[in-house]
mmCIF file of all heavy atoms in Angstrom:
data_model
loop_
_atom_site.group_PDB
_atom_site.id
_atom_site.type_symbol
_atom_site.label_atom_id
_atom_site.label_comp_id
_atom_site.label_asym_id
_atom_site.label_seq_id
_atom_site.Cartn_x
_atom_site.Cartn_y
_atom_site.Cartn_z
ATOM 1 N N ASP A 128 104.219 104.331 96.306
ATOM 2 C CA ASP A 128 103.133 105.251 96.677
ATOM 3 C C ASP A 128 101.875 105.019 95.841
ATOM 4 O O ASP A 128 100.773 105.338 96.260
ATOM 5 C CB ASP A 128 103.576 106.703 96.502
ATOM 6 C CG ASP A 128 104.628 107.085 97.521
ATOM 7 O OD1 ASP A 128 104.664 106.444 98.590
ATOM 8 O OD2 ASP A 128 105.414 108.003 97.244
ATOM 9 N N LYS A 129 102.072 104.467 94.644
ATOM 10 C CA LYS A 129 100.922 104.267 93.768
ATOM 11 C C LYS A 129 100.441 102.824 93.768
ATOM 12 O O LYS A 129 99.516 102.463 93.058
ATOM 13 C CB LYS A 129 101.292 104.687 92.331
ATOM 14 C CG LYS A 129 101.485 106.178 92.230
ATOM 15 C CD LYS A 129 101.589 106.639 90.782
ATOM 16 C CE LYS A 129 101.749 108.151 90.739
ATOM 17 N NZ LYS A 129 102.372 108.619 89.500
ATOM 18 N N HIS A 130 101.103 101.985 94.587
ATOM 19 C CA HIS A 130 100.698 100.581 94.631
ATOM 20 C C HIS A 130 99.336 100.442 95.310
ATOM 21 O O HIS A 130 99.085 101.057 96.346
ATOM 22 C CB HIS A 130 101.749 99.761 95.390
ATOM 23 C CG HIS A 130 101.556 98.285 95.235
ATOM 24 N ND1 HIS A 130 100.648 97.579 95.998
ATOM 25 C CD2 HIS A 130 102.114 97.396 94.386
ATOM 26 C CE1 HIS A 130 100.684 96.303 95.623
ATOM 27 N NE2 HIS A 130 101.567 96.171 94.654
ATOM 28 N N PRO A 131 98.437 99.629 94.731
ATOM 29 C CA PRO A 131 97.078 99.508 95.279
ATOM 30 C C PRO A 131 97.022 99.105 96.758
ATOM 31 O O PRO A 131 96.089 99.508 97.449
ATOM 32 C CB PRO A 131 96.424 98.427 94.405
ATOM 33 C CG PRO A 131 97.468 97.951 93.452
ATOM 34 C CD PRO A 131 98.585 98.921 93.452
ATOM 35 N N LEU A 132 98.013 98.363 97.224
ATOM 36 C CA LEU A 132 97.979 97.951 98.633
ATOM 37 C C LEU A 132 98.427 99.070 99.575
ATOM 38 O O LEU A 132 98.163 99.042 100.762
ATOM 39 C CB LEU A 132 98.894 96.744 98.858
ATOM 40 C CG LEU A 132 98.466 95.435 98.216
ATOM 41 C CD1 LEU A 132 99.495 94.365 98.486
ATOM 42 C CD2 LEU A 132 97.099 95.003 98.716
ATOM 43 N N ILE A 133 99.136 100.038 99.023
ATOM 44 C CA ILE A 133 99.737 101.083 99.854
ATOM 45 C C ILE A 133 98.985 102.403 99.764
ATOM 46 O O ILE A 133 98.810 103.105 100.761
ATOM 47 C CB ILE A 133 101.211 101.328 99.418
ATOM 48 C CG1 ILE A 133 102.005 100.014 99.445
ATOM 49 C CG2 ILE A 133 101.880 102.384 100.279
ATOM 50 C CD1 ILE A 133 102.213 99.427 100.807
ATOM 51 N N LYS A 134 98.511 102.726 98.562
ATOM 52 C CA LYS A 134 98.041 104.093 98.332
ATOM 53 C C LYS A 134 96.802 104.469 99.137
ATOM 54 O O LYS A 134 96.594 105.639 99.431
ATOM 55 C CB LYS A 134 97.809 104.338 96.835
ATOM 56 C CG LYS A 134 96.653 103.556 96.247
ATOM 57 C CD LYS A 134 96.460 103.903 94.777
ATOM 58 C CE LYS A 134 95.286 103.097 94.211
ATOM 59 N NZ LYS A 134 95.312 103.043 92.745
ATOM 60 N N GLU A 135 95.986 103.489 99.514
ATOM 61 C CA GLU A 135 94.738 103.801 100.230
ATOM 62 C C GLU A 135 94.879 103.740 101.749
ATOM 63 O O GLU A 135 93.909 103.938 102.460
ATOM 64 C CB GLU A 135 93.643 102.811 99.825
ATOM 65 C CG GLU A 135 93.483 102.659 98.326
ATOM 66 C CD GLU A 135 92.149 103.184 97.846
ATOM 67 O OE1 GLU A 135 91.695 104.215 98.400
ATOM 68 O OE2 GLU A 135 91.574 102.577 96.932
ATOM 69 N N ILE A 136 96.054 103.427 102.234
ATOM 70 C CA ILE A 136 96.223 103.289 103.676
ATOM 71 C C ILE A 136 96.064 104.633 104.390
ATOM 72 O O ILE A 136 96.589 105.648 103.936
ATOM 73 C CB ILE A 136 97.612 102.685 104.000
ATOM 74 C CG1 ILE A 136 97.742 101.289 103.379
ATOM 75 C CG2 ILE A 136 97.821 102.582 105.506
ATOM 76 C CD1 ILE A 136 99.075 100.629 103.636
ATOM 77 N N GLY A 137 95.348 104.598 105.505
ATOM 78 C CA GLY A 137 95.107 105.808 106.287
ATOM 79 C C GLY A 137 96.348 106.298 107.020
ATOM 80 O O GLY A 137 97.437 105.739 106.864
ATOM 81 N N PRO A 138 96.207 107.345 107.834
ATOM 82 C CA PRO A 138 97.359 107.921 108.537
ATOM 83 C C PRO A 138 98.034 106.935 109.492
ATOM 84 O O PRO A 138 97.385 106.023 110.001
ATOM 85 C CB PRO A 138 96.753 109.081 109.332
ATOM 86 C CG PRO A 138 95.294 108.810 109.380
ATOM 87 C CD PRO A 138 94.963 108.041 108.142
ATOM 88 N N GLU A 139 99.315 107.129 109.701
ATOM 89 C CA GLU A 139 100.045 106.332 110.688
ATOM 90 C C GLU A 139 99.520 106.679 112.081
ATOM 91 O O GLU A 139 99.437 107.864 112.432
ATOM 92 C CB GLU A 139 101.546 106.641 110.616
ATOM 93 C CG GLU A 139 102.247 106.013 109.436
ATOM 94 C CD GLU A 139 102.234 104.489 109.487
ATOM 95 O OE1 GLU A 139 102.382 103.935 110.600
ATOM 96 O OE2 GLU A 139 102.065 103.861 108.435
#
Side-chain angles (χ1 to χ4, degrees):
Chain A
D128 291 335
K129 291 191 179 157
H130 192 278
L132 292 178
I133 305 293
K134 68 178 180 198
E135 310 246 37
I136 299 179
E139 284 296 322

